[in-house]
Amino acid sequence: MSGKPDDFEAAIKPPASDSVASFTERKGLLARLQHALHVNPAIVPLFVLLVSIVLFGLLLGSKFFSPFALTLILQQVQIVGIVAAAQSLVILTAGIDLSVGAIAVLSSVIMGQFTFRYGIPVEIAVAAGLAFGTLVGSINGWLIAVMKLPPFIVTLGMWQIVLAANFLYSANETIRSQEIEQNAPLLQFLGSTFKVGANADGRGGATFTFGVIAMVLIFAFLAYALKHTAWGRHIYAVGDDPDAAQLSGVNVKRTLISVYAVTGFICAIAGWALIGRIGSVSPTSGQLLNIESITAVVIGGISLFGGRGSIMGPLFGALIVGVFTLGLRLAGADAQWTYLLIGALIIGAVAVDQWIRKVSA
């Protein structure tokens, strides 16, 4: 045979290529949208909020599109918004807190009773109410993190305990607005109003309360903490997979206890704001805050399965409820339409969350 072996091998073996194999993944419009919502879950509630504002503005005109009406929405949702911020932290850890409303109300009752029943300085009474909320939250966290009890059962039981303690301690007594205004105005501080953009004679402009400012500051602080601190990253890690978080060095127990403690503290702030909102200290107020806060969180796009969502979503969710409530009221519609539409939004939000979760599946 003639020829060289090298020539034969060269004839049957193609020259090696230095290029690396690449795979192109083609995504359709729907898949890209799904991925975008997975990365930015607050987009949907923000879109719904803007659309609802535009629709009611076109329907009602200046009656809805006015500084007074729009800032009234903020005043109406401030309590729910603050409690929703607290609830968000718990749900991000794949838990739930049914005691948030009861903690807020009893914290407000403690502030009022310490001031008027025991004659304690109002500053110390407010601090005592905040400390009480933090303590109850810490107990919830300890029972869940250390005793390994289900969050639903723990907070359901704590809700009943705190609710009963509220009525027993207060003797179902309401401290009237006039008494508070004369003797302890600090209790009503978060309900105090101030105007922005008013005329020289004090007319016009937007009216805000310090409770609204407190709500915005709480959301801003939590947004920063969740995005830029180790504590925030640990919250998402625990909610996504607590076992994997533990293996990666996260102290799961300490994280859970801190989350429920902060939740209780924020709920106590909501109780303080509740006094300012209604003017009095009433043990019967705020009974639906637990359900309303969960509603705002779900509509706001935070996953009930934990580990995914933006803290700004519940703020948008609370505002959506406020926009629908005020808009339908100004339109003269039956109040039941509000519940119907909010219920549809809740189901729709959960359906969207399930659809978005397929991205990571």
Side-chain angles (χ1 to χ4, degrees):
M1 296 177 65
S2 62
K4 298 180 181 179
D6 292 344
D7 296 335
F8 176 76
E9 292 179 1
I12 64 173
K13 184 178 179 181
S17 175
D18 295 332
S19 62
V20 179
S22 60
F23 300 92
T24 58
E25 182 182 357
R26 298 193 177 188
K27 290 186 176 181
L29 178 62
L30 194 62
R32 289 199 296 270
L33 174 63
Q34 191 179 24
H35 178 74
L37 296 180
H38 178 76
V39 176
N40 302 290
I43 291 178
V44 174
L46 177 59
F47 176 76
V48 174
L49 175 62
L50 294 176
V51 169
S52 61
I53 290 175
V54 171
L55 288 178
F56 280 115
L58 293 175
L59 179 65
L60 300 171
S62 59
K63 188 162 59 170
F64 181 83
F65 254 143
S66 66
F68 172 77
L70 294 177
T71 53
L72 179 61
I73 293 172
L74 286 171
Q75 294 178 39
Q76 290 177 337
V77 305
Q78 60 183 328
I79 311 299
V80 174
I82 294 173
V83 178
Q87 187 74 259
S88 301
L89 293 176
V90 174
I91 292 181
L92 281 173
T93 64
I96 197 166
D97 194 340
L98 299 177
S99 64
V100 287
I103 292 174
V105 175
L106 185 50
S107 296
S108 70
V109 167
I110 287 174
M111 294 176 190
Q113 293 293 337
F114 273 36
T115 302
F116 289 93
R117 182 186 294 181
Y118 307 125
I120 294 174
V122 64
E123 296 83 3
I124 298 177
V126 170
L130 297 176
F132 169 79
T134 307
L135 175 63
V136 175
S138 300
I139 294 172
N140 281 340
W142 183 82
L143 291 172
I144 291 164
V146 178
M147 301 302 293
K148 305 295 184 182
L149 299 179
F152 182 88
I153 300 301
V154 169
T155 57
L156 177 64
M158 188 61 73
W159 170 47
Q160 298 284 358
I161 292 170
V162 175
L163 192 64
N166 169 41
F167 289 111
L168 291 172
Y169 177 67
S170 66
N172 209 13
E173 173 190 350
T174 298
I175 302 175
R176 295 180 301 171
S177 176
Q178 295 84 350
E179 295 181 65
I180 298 174
E181 188 175 353
Q182 292 175 4
N183 303 303
L186 181 64
L187 292 178
Q188 296 177 336
F189 169 72
L190 293 181
S192 304
T193 60
F194 62 94
K195 286 197 171 185
V196 176
N199 300 328
D201 58 357
R203 296 181 179 181
T207 303
F208 294 92
T209 66
F210 287 104
V212 171
I213 302 302
M215 177 185 70
V216 173
L217 289 177
I218 288 171
F219 273 102
F221 173 79
L222 291 180
Y224 175 83
L226 289 171
K227 190 172 183 180
H228 298 288
T229 68
W231 181 69
R233 290 189 292 271
H234 292 172
I235 289 174
Y236 280 101
V238 170
D240 188 51
D241 190 336
D243 294 330
Q246 186 73 47
L247 291 173
S248 64
V250 176
N251 190 325
V252 174
K253 292 181 181 180
R254 185 169 62 190
T255 300
L256 285 174
I257 293 174
S258 67
V259 163
Y260 281 91
V262 172
T263 295
F265 176 76
I266 296 175
C267 288
I269 296 177
W272 186 13
L274 185 62
I275 299 175
R277 177 65 183 157
I278 66 177
S280 59
V281 176
S282 173
T284 60
S285 60
Q287 299 299 322
L288 296 177
L289 281 175
N290 52 350
I291 300 299
E292 292 171 341
S293 66
I294 296 173
T295 299
V297 172
V298 172
I299 294 176
I302 289 185
S303 175
L304 289 173
F305 300 96
R308 194 190 69 81
S310 168
I311 190 64
M312 299 308 296
L315 176 59
F316 301 146
L319 290 173
I320 289 169
V321 175
V323 167
F324 273 92
T325 302
L326 181 63
L328 291 173
R329 186 182 303 165
L330 292 175
D334 192 302
Q336 301 306 319
W337 281 103
T338 303
Y339 298 112
L340 187 150
L341 291 173
I342 297 304
L345 282 174
I346 292 172
I347 296 173
V350 173
V352 170
D353 174 62
Q354 292 284 68
W355 178 64
I356 292 174
R357 284 178 64 85
K358 294 179 182 178
V359 173
S360 57

